[in-house]
Amino acid sequence: IGYRAGRGTFTATTDHNTAIGYTALNALTSAANNTVIGSGAGVVLTEGNQNVLIGKNAGATLTTSGSNVLIGKDAGVDISAGQTTTDGTVAIGKEAGANITNSAGNTAVGFEALKTTTTGQHNTAMGYQAADVLVAGSDKNTAIGMHALGAGNNDTTHENTVVGYNAGSAITEGNYNVGVGSNALYDVTT
C-alpha cells in the first residue's frame, strides 16, 4: 500500500511480505517474511528475511541483513548494504541505533539510544540518549537510564555496566566499570 510500495520482484521465495508506505520494500528480490511500514522504510531491502521495519526511513540502507527489529524514525537507518553481521539488531526509538553500519549484537531502546555507534558490538542501551555517543569499537557495554554512559566517546570504552539516571555519564574511555543508581560513577572518566 503506497506509491512504489512492494515494487520489487515477487517470486516463490518472496512470500509473506507486507509493505505500507512510500517506496517501502521497493527493491525486493528474494526476501521473505518482512513487515515494513513507513515512507522509505526498507527501501533497498533485497534479500534480508524476517525484518520488522516501522517508521520513516527505518532500515533504509539494509539489503541483506535479517531478523532485525527497527522501529522509529531513522532507526537503524545506516545499516550497511550487502552484509549480515547486523542480523538481529534491535533499535526502537527515534534515531535509535541510527549509525550502526556492520556491528553485531546491539540493542538500543529509547530516543537516540546508541545513536552514534557504527561498529561497536554487543552493546545494550536503554533510555533517553543512553550511550548515545559511543563510537566505533566500543564493545560490550550496558547502559540503562536517561543519559547513562552518555560520554563514552572513545573506541576504548568497553565492558561497562551502568544503571540509573546519568550513571557513568562522565566515562569517556573506561573499562570494566559498574555503577548502579542516579548519577553513579558521575566523576569517573576511565
Side-chain angles (χ1 to χ4, degrees), residues 48-132:
N49 295 311
Q50 301 166 345
N51 292 292
V52 176
L53 313 173
I54 301 174
K56 185 176 189 297
N57 297 326
T61 59
L62 71 86
T63 58
T64 56
S65 185
S67 301
N68 298 294
V69 177
L70 309 174
I71 300 174
K73 182 184 181 298
D74 296 327
V77 70
D78 285 340
I79 291 178
S80 296
Q83 55 78 37
T84 57
T85 305
T86 56
D87 284 4
T89 295
V90 175
I92 301 173
K94 182 181 182 283
E95 296 183 3
N99 292 308
I100 292 172
T101 55
N102 61 352
S103 58
N106 288 301
T107 301
V109 178
F111 175 80
E112 295 182 350
L114 211 57
K115 178 182 177 180
T116 59
T117 297
T118 57
T119 59
Q121 299 192 66
H122 312 292
N123 294 295
T124 300
M126 302 178 102
Y128 182 93
Q129 294 180 332
D132 61 327

Side-chain angles (χ1 to χ4, degrees), residues 144-160:
I144 300 173
M146 181 178 184
H147 300 298
L149 201 60
N153 61 359
N154 192 297
D155 69 357
T156 59
T157 305
H158 302 296
E159 300 183 45
N160 295 289

